[in-house]
Amino acid sequence: MTRHTSLAMILLVAALQTVGPLLHRPRIAAAADFRVDNRIYMENDKEPCVETTTLFHDGVVYDYLKAPQEITVFDRNNERFMLLDVARRVKTEVKCNQVLALSEHLKTWAARQTDPLLVFLSAPRFDQQYHADSGTFVFASPLVTYEINTASAPTEAVSNQYREFSDWNVQLNALLNPGSTPPFARMVVSNALQTRHLLPEEVKLTMRLGSGFPPKRITIRSQHSFTDQLDQSDQDRIVQTGQYLEIFRAIPFEEYQKKVKR
């Protein structure tokens, strides 16, 4: 399973009533530094199929894939992503407006399909139930259901930054993996979490596939561990990434996509 396809599957599926305004959201005034360790599991697997670490520092987000070694740098102020392939020592740039254009295209395309799941994902609607006593948030529908164990964000800045990166990253995944699931359902989930200043600690996503009986379902689980500060090793990793950005050879996005093996 590829890195970005796998991440898309858990950050997957969330509707956006209007995708366009995302690019023009005001920048977050006070940026927080924090870390998120992510593990993604297929069905009942004991071992994660994807492990990443995401560092938020000084308004920039650094996302590190454990294997294969690939780094995504989200530079919101300059409206771009930088992708770095550590093994090949190459980098490429993806502008936010490229990501946005694909999202707008996918929304229109999915709405015109005959597959009920794709049509749903073009503009998903959930029955939302938040249980404050347990911190459980359920987003239910006949085709897609999220069950999320949440925790309160330490600050509003953390919930805002996490939501913004999640929205952009799931859209980037759609660009990096043509044919993957449209990215709109998780964005609805992210919006609801941010509204309540909540962070997802555990996520269980269940999707119904096809129209057979009994219906086929797939379940994807994830765990997200938040730390509200960066330690020295995190700071060193960010410095090293800056060095990579200086010395790695820049190549066009199309070339990066042809040769990178995720």
Side-chain angles (χ1 to χ4, degrees), residues 99-113:
V99 176
L100 193 64
L102 177 67
S103 289
E104 292 172 334
H105 170 76
L106 279 177
K107 191 174 183 68
T108 301
W109 173 84
R112 294 173 177 171
Q113 302 309 300

Side-chain angles (χ1 to χ4, degrees), residues 151-246:
S152 296
T155 66
E156 184 176 351
V158 169
S159 63
N160 290 346
Q161 288 171 246
Y162 184 75
R163 184 265 174 96
E164 181 176 54
F165 175 66
S166 294
D167 281 356
W168 278 108
N169 193 47
V170 73
Q171 292 179 97
L172 174 68
N173 289 326
L175 176 66
L176 296 175
N177 295 278
S180 62
T181 307
F184 303 118
R186 173 63 190 215
M187 296 167 75
V188 163
V189 172
S190 294
N191 179 63
L193 294 177
Q194 182 199 25
T195 298
R196 295 178 181 269
H197 305 302
L198 298 173
L199 299 173
E201 291 191 324
E202 294 186 41
V203 179
K204 179 182 178 183
L205 168 62
T206 303
M207 290 191 299
R208 175 173 174 168
L209 306 177
S211 57
F213 185 84
K216 181 180 179 181
R217 288 183 169 85
I218 184 172
T219 300
I220 304 157
R221 300 174 292 115
S222 70
Q223 297 175 344
H224 308 277
S225 177
F226 290 80
T227 305
D228 61 3
Q229 59 185 351
L230 303 182
D231 62 22
Q232 187 59 52
S233 65
D234 296 328
Q235 299 281 358
D236 292 344
R237 203 171 193 183
I238 290 170
V239 170
Q240 183 183 59
T241 301
Q243 294 169 346
Y244 288 165
L245 286 168
E246 291 291 329

Side-chain angles (χ1 to χ4, degrees), residues 1-231:
M1 180 172 295
T2 69
R3 175 266 173 109
H4 289 288
T5 299
S6 299
L7 285 179
M9 292 175 78
I10 194 60
L11 293 173
L12 184 85
V13 229
L16 192 65
Q17 277 77 15
T18 54
V19 177
L22 183 62
L23 187 61
H24 305 292
R25 284 180 186 162
R27 290 173 174 80
I28 298 167
D33 285 7
F34 61 101
R35 168 186 176 136
V36 190
D37 292 296
N38 311 284
R39 293 179 177 83
I40 301 172
Y41 303 81
M42 292 298 299
E43 300 291 347
N44 295 316
D45 289 352
K46 302 296 185 182
E47 296 297 322
C49 59
V50 174
E51 293 183 75
T52 68
T53 296
T54 310
L55 306 180
F56 293 74
H57 175 63
D58 198 24
V60 180
V61 186
Y62 303 83
D63 190 57
Y64 299 89
L65 177 66
K66 183 175 181 179
Q69 283 190 294
E70 189 176 3
I71 305 168
T72 300
V73 179
F74 177 47
D75 183 358
R76 178 64 177 86
N77 287 338
N78 290 306
E79 297 183 347
R80 67 176 184 173
F81 288 88
M82 295 299 298
L83 309 178
L84 298 92
D85 184 324
V86 177
R88 294 166 53 211
R89 299 177 69 82
V90 297
K91 64 183 179 182
T92 196
E93 179 179 285
V94 178
K95 291 291 190 180
C96 286
N97 59 11
Q98 295 174 257
V99 176
L100 193 64
L102 177 67
S103 289
E104 292 172 334
H105 170 76
L106 279 177
K107 191 174 183 68
T108 301
W109 173 84
R112 294 173 177 171
Q113 302 309 300
T114 58
D115 184 340
L117 179 60
L118 287 176
V119 174
F120 173 81
L121 294 179
S122 71
R125 300 286 189 274
F126 293 104
D127 175 21
Q128 300 182 22
Q129 297 182 10
Y130 175 60
H131 306 280
D133 55 340
S134 64
T136 303
F137 213 151
V138 178
F139 298 77
S141 77
L143 296 174
V144 177
T145 296
Y146 285 91
E147 300 172 62
I148 305 175
N149 294 331
T150 69
S152 296
T155 66
E156 184 176 351
V158 169
S159 63
N160 290 346
Q161 288 171 246
Y162 184 75
R163 184 265 174 96
E164 181 176 54
F165 175 66
S166 294
D167 281 356
W168 278 108
N169 193 47
V170 73
Q171 292 179 97
L172 174 68
N173 289 326
L175 176 66
L176 296 175
N177 295 278
S180 62
T181 307
F184 303 118
R186 173 63 190 215
M187 296 167 75
V188 163
V189 172
S190 294
N191 179 63
L193 294 177
Q194 182 199 25
T195 298
R196 295 178 181 269
H197 305 302
L198 298 173
L199 299 173
E201 291 191 324
E202 294 186 41
V203 179
K204 179 182 178 183
L205 168 62
T206 303
M207 290 191 299
R208 175 173 174 168
L209 306 177
S211 57
F213 185 84
K216 181 180 179 181
R217 288 183 169 85
I218 184 172
T219 300
I220 304 157
R221 300 174 292 115
S222 70
Q223 297 175 344
H224 308 277
S225 177
F226 290 80
T227 305
D228 61 3
Q229 59 185 351
L230 303 182
D231 62 22

